[in-house]
Amino acid sequence: MSDAEQPSESETHDHHEHHDHEGPGYATPQAAIEEAERERTAYVMGLHVGQDVDAPDFLAVVDVDPDSDTYSEIINRVQMPNKGDELHHFGWNACSSSCHMEGLERRHLVIPGQRSSRIHIVDTKERRDPELTKVIEPEAVYDHDLSAPHTVHCIPDGEILISMLGDADGDLPGGFLELNDDFEVQGRWDPPGEIEMNYDYWYQPRQNVMLSTEWAAPKTYYPGFDLDDVEDGKYGQRLNFWDWEAGTVEQTIDLGEDGLIPLEARFLHTPESTHGYVGAALSSNIIHFHESDGEYHAEPVIEFDDREHEGWDMPVPALVTDILISMDDRYLFGSNWLHGEVWMYDISDPSNPRKADSISIGGYFGDIEQVQGRDIVAGPQMLQLSLDGDRLYWTTSLFSSWDNQFFPEEAEQGSVMLKADVDPRTGTMSLDRDFLVDFGDLPEGPARAHEIRWPDGDCTSDVWQ
């Protein structure tokens, strides 16, 4: 049965008695800030792909309650039934875009395998003891000539949309796969061939728009990064703006050299806005986009300079690999994975971001090389912010083959999860040296850590109508 048909009475699910709506999530972004309790549990992708560890990937349950005896520890894991999935991004079955749907719960995590194209469904009714309840095998995905699932978003009415980066053979084009609220494959959401490359996406239903970005064909990025592939045009540089209701591309912006490998896409949270940002990883730019006179416009508004390194025969790009926007739409946070930097910019004026603060840690140039005696190898990568904007968390793995290429010690030692305390009033961050989750200390051997989610929603999954 679907979540909409079987509302749970457990105290552990995502129903908030004091909300003025009957469905999951929050009525507005401001309600999320005001009504959400402090995060106590985090769900984190853990994986062993590309390591000398004979074990499947897993969902890690991390204690982030500072009053707990197991604070900053992995307190439970849900192992996947197969090896080699490369768990990467994941998302919820429902979020604030379905807050009007009585009985629907934010309860199930949808966890794709980037390499395997399996899709795992995990029930989080018991938040610290989640259970794997279903696996969609890759053949059900290949039937629609799709593979390599990436971004998972809950969409209105309880359905789920997943960006797919390749066809059934790992070539182009990619597209989108839709699941219903019983976690059955509904089919392809987009007309075949509507786009070539795909990666992340975000939708703004009140504006009837969706934005998708571009990485490359799975066969291109799976083995690792090759600069010749960029010169051969095998990596993306375009933004695709869709008619959300029609499911068709209405406008494409070619960013050129300013927008090589545009990855994470974020609209402002307020549903009235058409402003947002994309991180162009290889160009190391932040692209601001907005609508004016019926068309979208995009231009770089933050640029990170390449840096010389004695171990490289070319300048090292910052490699902007993740961005997120605080729930009040005041700050943009981001990570420069190669340089080793996590940063925040004031975006009160979306067209003119102003740097507020940054922390230099890990990577090739980070000032902070250890926390609690643990070496910090790679730079900050996947980010997650508390709903009140006071705590920023991050992990350090990008993608297994890319980790092994740029930071081979990440495979040998495993990833870490770190935290900074944020003061939104002064626009400052400080590293919390008392918080360290070590993914290198597991029974089977060290693991990588990737995306982070909160049980009550977060700044990278909730959308409002």
Side-chain angles (χ1 to χ4, degrees):
M1 299 293 287
S2 71
D3 288 340
E5 294 168 319
Q6 283 191 315
S8 170
E9 296 301 321
S10 169
E11 293 181 351
T12 59
H13 63 60
D14 185 58
H15 183 75
H16 299 270
E17 296 290 344
H18 52 287
H19 284 189
D20 58 356
H21 58 86
E22 299 298 329
Y26 305 89
T28 65
Q30 186 60 34
I33 297 170
E34 295 176 357
E35 297 174 4
E37 297 179 354
R38 176 179 174 137
E39 68 283 356
R40 295 186 175 90
T41 303
Y43 300 124
V44 184
M45 291 291 88
L47 57 149
H48 291 297
V49 175
Q51 295 176 298
D52 189 21
V53 178
D54 186 27
D57 298 349
F58 58 91
L59 169 69
V61 182
V62 176
D63 188 341
V64 292
D65 181 357
D67 296 326
S68 170
D69 291 339
T70 53
Y71 178 56
S72 74
E73 294 180 15
I74 299 172
I75 56 174
N76 200 354
R77 289 184 296 154
V78 179
Q79 288 191 317
M80 301 301 110
N82 299 278
K83 300 172 186 176
D85 284 310
E86 182 117 2
L87 303 187
H88 191 61
H89 285 223
F90 67 126
W92 289 103
N93 68 296
C95 69
S96 295
S97 67
S98 296
C99 68
H100 59 287
M101 289 195 66
E102 182 176 358
L104 184 65
E105 299 177 70
R106 189 202 315 264
R107 172 172 155 179
H108 286 87
L109 287 168
V110 180
I111 304 176
Q114 233 292 308
R115 289 183 184 268
S116 69
S117 294
R118 286 188 191 88
I119 301 172
H120 310 85
I121 310 300
V122 172
D123 187 347
T124 68
K125 178 180 179 180
E126 300 298 332
R127 290 191 170 184
R128 295 197 166 190
D129 190 21
E131 178 185 5
L132 178 68
T133 57
K134 182 174 183 176
V135 178
I136 300 172
E137 294 295 342
E139 290 74 19
V141 176
Y142 300 155
D143 283 346
H144 301 281
D145 199 21
L146 293 168
S147 70
H150 190 268
T151 300
V152 177
H153 272 305
C154 39
I155 60 177
D157 303 325
E159 296 178 328
I160 298 151
L161 192 64
I162 306 174
S163 65
M164 311 295 291
L165 276 54
D167 66 12
D169 297 319
D171 293 313
L172 298 176
F176 291 88
L177 188 74
E178 187 172 358
L179 309 182
N180 65 20
D181 58 3
D182 284 316
F183 309 111
E184 299 166 334
V185 175
Q186 286 288 91
R188 189 172 189 136
W189 177 80
D190 56 316
E194 190 73 5
I195 55 173
E196 280 290 305
M197 297 183 192
N198 203 6
Y199 180 71
D200 194 24
Y201 79 98
W202 195 283
Y203 67 101
Q204 198 78 317
R206 190 175 299 187
Q207 305 301 327
N208 190 35
V209 65
M210 181 180 86
L211 166 64
S212 65
T213 59
E214 299 185 334
W215 193 5
K219 284 185 177 179
T220 298
Y221 65 79
Y222 276 175
F225 179 72
D226 187 337
L227 191 59
D228 289 341
D229 288 336
V230 178
E231 297 172 354
D232 292 341
K234 294 183 179 180
Y235 279 94
Q237 59 185 49
R238 291 174 294 272
L239 306 181
N240 294 302
F241 291 89
W242 299 66
D243 182 308
W244 172 243
E245 294 183 357
T248 55
V249 174
E250 296 298 303
Q251 182 185 353
T252 296
I253 298 177
D254 191 325
L255 300 170
E257 294 292 321
D258 288 333
L260 296 175
I261 313 185
L263 295 184
E264 309 301 327
R266 311 285 184 239
F267 272 94
L268 296 189
H269 296 289
T270 177
E272 292 88 357
S273 180
T274 65
H275 289 270
Y277 301 91
V278 170
L282 188 58
S283 296
S284 299
N285 291 337
I286 301 300
I287 307 296
H288 167 244
F289 63 83
H290 68 287
E291 183 270 337
S292 177
D293 298 324
E295 286 192 340
Y296 274 84
H297 305 269
E299 60 283 322
V301 290
I302 304 172
E303 300 180 9
F304 297 98
D305 294 333
D306 297 347
R307 298 180 63 175
E308 299 290 338
H309 189 279
E310 62 181 12
W312 282 53
D313 57 6
M314 59 174 280
V316 181
L319 210 71
V320 181
T321 51
D322 196 17
I323 59 172
L324 64 76
I325 297 173
S326 62
M327 196 58 75
D328 61 1
D329 289 335
R330 182 177 176 188
Y331 290 107
L332 176 71
F333 294 84
S335 56
N336 296 346
W337 187 60
L338 290 181
H339 282 188
E341 183 182 23
V342 61
W343 44 262
M344 62 185 292
Y345 274 72
D346 187 325
I347 55 170
S348 301
D349 178 357
S351 300
N352 296 285
R354 179 182 59 82
K355 185 175 182 180
D357 204 356
S358 66
I359 296 173
S360 176
I361 182 168
Y364 286 103
F365 303 102
D367 293 333
I368 300 172
E369 299 179 350
Q370 287 190 338
V371 174
Q372 298 181 23
R374 170 62 149 89
D375 289 341
I376 308 301
V377 178
Q381 212 288 101
M382 292 307 298
L383 309 175
Q384 195 52 263
L385 185 69
S386 60
L387 290 173
D388 61 11
D390 288 350
R391 294 164 298 281
L392 181 72
Y393 301 77
W394 66 87
T395 57
T396 53
S397 171
L398 174 59
F399 194 73
S400 61
S401 51
W402 294 44
D403 291 354
N404 290 347
Q405 183 175 356
F406 296 106
F407 299 109
E409 299 93 339
E410 189 84 359
E412 300 165 4
Q413 300 180 23
S415 298
V416 295
M417 178 177 170
L418 299 169
K419 168 181 169 284
D421 293 317
V422 181
D423 187 338
R425 290 152 292 281
T426 60
T428 56
M429 294 189 295
S430 60
L431 181 68
D432 180 359
R433 293 181 179 271
D434 293 329
F435 184 92
L436 169 73
V437 184
D438 190 350
F439 279 75
D441 186 20
L442 292 171
E444 299 83 3
R448 309 178 196 274
H450 200 66
E451 192 165 40
I452 306 166
R453 293 267 175 240
W454 310 134
D456 286 327
D458 51 64
C459 295
T460 56
S461 62
D462 276 77
V463 174
W464 278 268
Q465 295 198 69

